[in-house]
Amino acid sequence: MSDYNPVLHAPSGANKKPKRVGRGSSSGHGSTAGRGNKGQQSRSGKRLPYVGFEGGQMPLYRRIARRGFSNMRFKDDVAYFNISELEAKFSDGDTVDRTTLVEKKLLSSKNGAAIKVLGNGDITKKLVIKVDKISKSAKEKIEKAGGSVDAVAGVSRKERNAAYAKARDEKKAKAEKKNEEKKK
């Protein structure tokens, strides 16, 4: 232990000095400094203008015709959950909504997607479901088990429109109440 040396260093030959180019013709790397004569690669700065550049030839992404239409921009972002998942993670009498799904680590807190419950699996627990959308079979199974469902977008268009109208009326009443308070 007496000849222990705590100074760390790299093994010999590991650290090499960088090649100094453009330092006169006698160095062997003078004049053009190994870049050849003229041209784009010999210049300083960016080597290529952009990704997909083909030397002035019309690039592939511009040669191919842009055809068709995609609805991808208008796609609704939805997080799906089966009732079998809810049965496994929640206990009897629990409320299933965005906050509880985040607490149970079934949904990321950063995920702003709409939540839809699907009817795959069986459920025996009485759960209170408060989500954006629910399938018809899931609603039937949850209500059969004794739970309740409060979905903004329900089973049918009629129910969905009623839910939206109710939410709109509540929002309007809240705004009117706020205006009255401001006038006082």
Side-chain angles (χ1 to χ4, degrees):
M1 282 301 265
S2 61
D3 60 344
Y4 171 72
N5 187 0
V7 178
L8 298 175
H9 57 85
S12 63
N15 296 335
K16 296 180 181 177
K17 289 185 179 179
K19 185 188 288 184
R20 298 182 73 226
V21 295
R23 297 296 185 277
S25 59
S26 62
S27 70
H29 301 287
S31 175
T32 56
R35 289 179 179 234
N37 293 313
K38 301 183 184 176
Q40 192 171 22
Q41 280 78 13
S42 71
R43 313 289 187 220
S44 65
K46 205 169 177 185
R47 288 285 173 103
L48 293 173
Y50 54 84
V51 175
F53 183 71
E54 296 183 16
Q57 171 179 296
M58 186 61 70
L60 181 68
Y61 74 92
R62 289 186 62 195
R63 289 198 302 267
I64 296 174
R66 291 172 61 188
R67 296 180 54 165
F69 178 78
S70 173
N71 277 326
M72 197 63 182
R73 295 189 309 175
F74 311 106
K75 179 185 170 193
D76 288 336
D77 195 16
V78 181
Y80 297 98
F81 296 97
N82 283 305
I83 56 174
S84 58
E85 295 174 82
L86 303 181
E87 171 79 16
K89 291 281 186 176
F90 290 90
S91 57
D92 200 25
D94 280 355
T95 301
V96 179
D97 58 2
R98 184 175 299 279
T99 54
T100 55
L101 287 167
V102 170
E103 286 170 8
K104 302 276 185 181
K105 297 189 182 216
L106 290 172
L107 185 69
S108 169
S109 60
K110 294 176 183 175
N111 191 345
I115 299 167
K116 182 168 184 176
V117 177
L118 303 176
N120 190 7
D122 293 318
I123 191 161
T124 57
K125 299 171 182 171
K126 295 178 183 178
L127 298 175
V128 178
I129 310 291
K130 293 182 179 181
V131 293
D132 300 308
K133 300 177 180 188
I134 192 160
S135 70
K136 190 174 184 180
S137 61
K139 187 174 183 180
E140 289 171 0
K141 288 180 181 180
I142 290 164
E143 288 174 347
K144 188 177 178 183
S148 65
V149 175
D150 180 25
V152 174
V155 175
S156 67
R157 180 178 288 155
K158 196 174 189 180
E159 288 178 15
R160 184 172 64 240
N161 289 345
Y164 283 134
K166 183 181 174 186
R168 182 194 62 222
D169 294 341
E170 286 174 2
K171 190 176 180 181
K172 192 176 181 180
K174 201 179 217 182
E176 288 174 0
K177 188 177 179 183
K178 198 173 186 180
N179 286 337
E180 287 176 14
E181 288 176 4
K182 281 184 178 181
K183 287 178 182 179
K184 289 181 183 180

